[in-house]
Amino acid sequence: MKLILTHEVDGLGSPGDVVEVKNGYGRNYLLPRGFAIPWTRGGQKQIDLIQRARRSRDIRTLEEARQVEGQINALTVRLKQRAGEGGRLFGSVTPADIAEAVKSSGGPDLDKRRIEIKSAIKSVGDHRVQVRLHPEVTATIKLDISAV
């Protein structure tokens, strides 16, 4: 089955890529979740729009990615969340929360879809999360989460 990706899918591709996948994977996972749309000859126009939007938002060069990595690595992001006794958060910290906190701390504007949280952050304290800036560059955000 030939599909056009609308979101980044690990191990498969980026938005705007045309991929060939097994029928079940496409029909049961990618299409219902909105990660892809069926490929058609007229779909080339959609591919161009998706890729143009991605290029405007992505970090274009390796040099630019390394520069942003330096900014992020030098930054300690403080985030205040509601917490109960024992430092357990009400809910968890999301990638959108982290992206907003980085921006308000004077860091670069990050795409929340590029922030990788290995396990849910549900406690007060120091945490580290990864950000994929470029296929070759990954930065680490230092989070200091405190209770409100």
Side-chain angles (χ1 to χ4, degrees):
M1 171 180 270
K2 209 170 190 179
L3 298 172
I4 303 168
L5 294 178
T6 56
H7 290 82
E8 188 161 331
V9 179
D10 287 338
L12 194 57
S14 300
D17 291 348
V18 177
V19 295
E20 187 77 33
V21 296
K22 294 196 176 193
N23 291 336
Y25 182 56
R27 191 172 41 244
N28 297 322
Y29 181 74
L30 295 174
L31 291 173
R33 286 175 174 77
F35 293 153
I37 55 176
W39 181 87
T40 61
R41 277 186 254 146
Q44 187 62 40
K45 208 182 272 188
Q46 291 174 323
I47 293 170
D48 293 340
L49 287 173
I50 292 169
Q51 287 179 340
R52 191 173 322 131
R54 182 177 79 188
R55 278 193 301 270
S56 69
R57 161 179 88 236
D58 275 354
I59 295 173
R60 289 175 184 77
T61 64
L62 183 61
E63 181 181 309
E64 186 179 349
R66 295 224 188 271
Q67 184 181 35
V68 171
E69 178 188 25
Q71 291 175 355
I72 290 174
N73 289 338
L75 193 65
T76 298
V77 179
R78 287 173 176 62
L79 191 60
K80 293 188 181 264
Q81 296 279 46
R82 289 187 45 215
E85 291 184 29
R88 185 138 175 95
L89 298 179
F90 295 127
S92 62
V93 177
T94 65
D97 295 335
I98 295 169
E100 183 62 35
V102 168
K103 188 174 181 182
S104 65
S105 298
D109 191 14
L110 298 175
D111 185 2
K112 67 181 180 182
R113 293 173 290 215
R114 298 212 174 262
I115 297 173
E116 297 175 345
I117 301 175
K118 299 289 186 221
S119 61
I121 300 173
K122 295 186 175 197
S123 63
V124 172
D126 293 331
H127 299 275
R128 297 197 185 293
V129 294
Q130 302 288 321
V131 181
R132 285 178 286 112
L133 299 172
H134 190 269
E136 299 174 20
V137 180
T138 302
T140 302
I141 298 175
K142 292 172 260 182
L143 290 174
D144 180 21
I145 300 174
S146 59
V148 174

